Amino acid sequence: GAVLMSPGAFILQLQFDLQWIVLGFRLEPQGLGSLSLPDEAAVRQQLQAVADAEEKKEDSDTPAALTAAAHAFCSHLWLRASMDEANRGAEVASASWDRRGFVTMRVFPGWDSTCGGICLPLRDDQTPAGPGPASTGCVLELHKADGGIRPQFAGKLPPLPCQRPQRLVQLGGVAPCLDEVLRQAHEALATLTLRRLRAGLLEVAPLSRAKPLEESQLELLAGGRPLRCLLGGCQVYVDLDSVGRLVLSTSEYSEHPPPKAAGGQEGFILRLEAVRTASLIAAAEGVVAAMGWRRAVPPEPPPAAVRHERFKCHFGSLPIAIEFDLCDIEVKNLGLVLEDGTSIHAPGMDDFIFADGGEQAFQKLQRNLRERFSFAERLLKSAELSCEVLNTLGQHAKRVEDGCIHIRLVAVHLLELQLEFNDLADEASAEFDLSSPFQSPVVFKIHEQLRTWSLCGKLRTLVPITESREAPEPLPCGGRLQTEVFPNGQQEVQIHFDQASLKSPAWRHWSTDLRALAFLAAFRRQAEVHVGAELPGLQLEISRPDCLRFRFLKPHGNEVFCLVPTPSKMGEEAELPCSFQWLEPRSSFLLAARLSRRLIRTKRLTDCLGAISSAAELVRAVEDLASAPSVGPNVPASSNPEEQKVLWRCIPSAANTLQVECRRMLGVEVAALDDTTLRVSCLSRRHRPDTPELMAVIANLEPFVEWLQNAQGASGSLALHHGDAPGRTLRLPAGSIQNRLLPLWTYLRMYLTMLQLYLLQRHATSVATRCEMQPTAEAEWPHRWVRIQVPLPLGAMVGFEVVTEAESTEEARSKRRRLEATKALPQLRFFWRAEPSGDRMKDVLQRFESFFERYLAPKQRKEDGNLGEPNWEKLRASRLYPLLELLTAPRVWMLREAVRLLPPICRVAVPRKGGAEGPVRSSWQPLVEQFKLAPDDSSQAFAQRWQLVFVLASQKSQCRICLTKTLRKGSAPEEEGWEQVLVDDQPLQKWLQTRQPVSGGKSMKTLMDAASSCASLSQPYLLSSLL
């Protein structure tokens, strides 16, 4: 007997008894033993048949034949197992059993025999392609080979190494062995492809636009792969991936997934450049991340034509970033940058070249970037104050021409900044460049540990300094200014910021104060050249780089003001760099804001000072008018919103023009043309900023203004003008504007009263007749200007008119002589006209006229006893309209009753101890604003129920009285008197019961007599007995 053993394959037991007999067959446990063996008896029968057939031959070698058959059987089992494993795995697209006795597997489906059009296709007898396109994918065949398998590509390519059963034992199974086969196939295919790719890249097609690569740029590494391409100092490796596609990679970047190869040589070179660029970006981003910085994501990708990558990197929460452009062979525009884009130049932050012909481009790029990021980190670490100053400095650098910021670390915690800019060559150009007062450069020093900083610069325009005992105030930004004069005449200005000034957010607006210093230096030059000659009476008291103080010597009083940087409000930046501030005679000046805007806009100090000289007296007169109380001290404030409006409102409309509004219903615009000339216009057609209300037309305004110019007020002829005319020029002596404009303000206020009466009467629903408001004719000037007249139901006409002189009587002429020096003020006068036959009506109207003469009389001056300003407490429309309403009574007897209510009410005194009896002013007086005479709402067309309502008030109490009378149309003449009396909404008799005197009082008898007299009253009631 004999035992034949093939390591890792099988064990065959044989016996020779005149012929060879197969006793047993089994697989080697450490090799193919892991496979499932078919029926052993059937395998033994097949082997026995091989032995029997071999013995029939003359030169038979039965053991050799059995060994070959056993090896073939094992190879067959191995192929079957490999096909099953290939179908289960993901590396093989498909696997099938060829009828010729071997296994075909489709592998590397992404492989392209032309390398994307770079190489020619393989010849037909060399193409390892399977089904499908001839140029993509390949087929791997597994054949039997002496008990093992022999892989080879389809075609006449060199075969791959055979796999023996011992290798199967070493690898531990069919799956690892199949992986090794695929790996060897991948290596062989990659070596072939990369060799052909290198040859194709070195050859240039006739019509190709691509620049060929040199042979020194392409190198196959040991083993035939990968292919190394040296492109711009960067090594790009080309290899095949697991599916057979060409993949490009570097030490910093790899294509994932690789794109489909196409485009021939030109497309492949562009692909190489794209991988190189992506690798440079990845290398730079790696340094940024490793150094603790972060790259800001660009808002949108750069255009395709741009051949650089912009980097902007931040460190923590610092507002300063590093910005640079990553180009093909160098890093450009490297430097620090602020949030607003302002660049900062620093030593050690210069550009560099990383691809200079060597092979270490990535290393050089990363090394240089680490050095610059480390320097920036040392510079900005713990530089909180410096970053804030740099932010504000960046805003200032944009205002100067070609501003450039340089930064330098002088010592620990001490940082120095320099702002360099383009100085204008000539003084004429520098006069209009007011962005900075300094020459270039301006030095900034920030001490982080002390939390202080300062700036220093030499003035471009010299400012003569006058000595002053007053200590200079800090600038609006909080910094303190110091000036030093050098022997060569140059001036150096230093502005220091201490810890206290940095607590306020105003210090961030120091750039505005620098701009203000530039304006002040230019204005100081103008003042030196023009002010002394063109503006007599003007003195320059203080001259400093941060302050110019002027004094105007005027007849009405001196005006002292200064030109300084505009103070900031609530830490916000001021709108204007510098502005006027008044010191004397008061701290306010209505035109200060307008003048400041005009000064900054025109940059002409002389024009603004001339406007101040012209308008100063007018402004003071208008300010005194607006600050005067609108009601008397004893008049309570009204709850009516219209009554609560400010009486006078003054709005600047130009640098020398003021708009004066009265209750926002009417007004005038007054412009100061020079020291003694004013132009007065009605506001009805003028532009009024921020005022939506429509202004009323002021009748006879221009004739009245023309009359003001005449000191006597009565001579000369006046021309007819309307209220919406362009205006009237008024020339007055210097120092007399305030007194001469008093009649104009009085006329406006009286015209307002007339207008309010007109509107109240026109909108009253209880009045049957409507009033008229008319300007007077030219013949009545200058005595009467405007009137309002109301037709009465009894055939008379009453009203009010504005007059400036009384009738031509001896008393009027003597009064006019007393007022010649001060200009008579307009007065409000009551007038009436009645029919000749109405004697009783005339008597009543004369009594009303006497009352209004007393009631509308102006106040008496305390200093000289003459009549002066009207009594505005009585000239309110709310007090005049009820009196005018009493005159609309439908009966004469009602008018007589109303006359009895006109204040003051007097009673007849009872004589005591032989004294004479006579009228005595009562302690109870009516309130004129509470008068009301009108028909009741419940009245009908044929019968009207009229009510007379008034209120009697004393020092401690008051009562409301309502008298009623029904008037019927077409009936017989009614009896004079009132039908009903209500006191505090109670009938008279019921009210008397509540007023019974308490026994034991001092005036018991007097009160009892009064109560009995009231109780004895009966209809019709008359005020002669009721009061």
Side-chain angles (χ1 to χ4, degrees), residues 399-567:
R399 298 179 178 178
V400 298
E401 185 175 357
D402 299 334
C404 179
I405 303 175
H406 295 266
I407 186 171
R408 184 169 65 94
L409 187 62
V410 179
V412 180
H413 304 299
L414 181 59
L415 202 66
E416 181 179 286
L417 308 175
Q418 280 193 0
L419 174 62
E420 297 180 358
F421 50 91
N422 184 17
D423 281 331
L424 298 180
D426 54 344
E427 295 184 359
S429 303
E431 183 179 357
F432 297 96
D433 179 25
L434 301 178
S435 56
S436 175
F438 299 119
Q439 301 176 5
S440 178
V442 183
V443 180
F444 300 76
K445 293 184 178 180
I446 304 104
H447 202 294
E448 289 288 344
Q449 189 173 10
L450 299 179
R451 293 287 298 175
T452 60
W453 72 280
S454 62
L455 65 90
C456 177
K458 295 181 180 179
L459 289 180
R460 182 166 48 190
T461 303
L462 300 182
V463 178
I465 299 177
T466 58
E467 297 295 335
S468 175
R469 297 180 180 178
E470 302 177 5
E473 295 290 334
L475 295 174
C477 62
R480 292 192 173 274
L481 185 142
Q482 296 180 358
T483 306
E484 183 178 357
V485 180
F486 293 100
N488 58 359
Q490 289 186 334
Q491 289 179 327
E492 184 181 78
V493 170
Q494 297 181 2
I495 302 179
H496 301 273
F497 295 84
D498 54 9
Q499 293 185 8
S501 62
L502 296 180
K503 294 180 180 179
S504 173
W507 74 267
R508 295 183 174 88
H509 307 308
W510 58 265
S511 178
T512 304
D513 289 351
L514 288 192
R515 188 163 174 247
L517 296 181
F519 273 89
L520 290 174
F523 295 149
R524 178 62 180 88
R525 184 186 182 102
Q526 295 181 23
E528 184 178 1
V529 176
H530 303 287
V531 170
E534 300 181 13
L535 296 173
L538 178 64
Q539 299 177 358
L540 181 60
E541 291 187 342
I542 295 180
S543 173
R544 294 199 306 265
D546 60 334
C547 177
L548 298 177
R549 181 188 291 183
F550 299 92
R551 178 180 293 272
F552 254 125
L553 304 178
K554 307 296 291 183
H556 68 280
N558 295 340
E559 296 285 341
V560 181
F561 55 92
C562 57
L563 187 59
V564 294
T566 305

Side-chain angles (χ1 to χ4, degrees), residues 668-726:
V668 294
E669 182 180 78
V670 186
L673 304 182
D674 54 40
D675 293 1
T676 60
T677 307
L678 305 178
R679 186 182 66 243
V680 182
S681 308
C682 183
L683 276 184
S684 57
R685 294 290 180 86
R686 305 297 292 175
H687 171 69
R688 297 175 299 111
D690 304 328
T691 307
E693 296 90 349
L694 297 178
M695 293 286 111
V697 176
I698 304 174
N700 290 336
L701 174 62
E702 293 196 9
F704 186 85
V705 174
E706 189 174 352
W707 169 77
L708 285 179
Q709 189 166 336
N710 188 351
Q712 303 300 326
S715 63
S717 61
L718 303 177
L720 177 62
H721 294 278
H722 300 286
D724 53 358

Side-chain angles (χ1 to χ4, degrees), residues 34-96:
S34 59
L35 304 179
S36 58
L37 182 67
D39 186 10
E40 184 179 352
V43 174
R44 191 171 58 250
Q45 290 178 1
Q46 293 180 5
L47 292 176
Q48 186 64 46
V50 170
D52 295 343
E54 183 68 19
E55 288 181 354
K56 295 178 181 180
K57 297 178 180 180
E58 295 181 357
D59 53 347
S60 63
D61 188 354
T62 303
L66 289 175
T67 302
H71 277 294
F73 177 73
C74 289
S75 298
H76 179 80
L77 289 180
W78 197 347
L79 291 179
R80 285 287 184 183
S82 298
M83 185 183 70
D84 295 341
E85 185 66 29
N87 288 328
R88 287 194 297 267
E91 293 82 1
V92 181
S94 62
S96 61

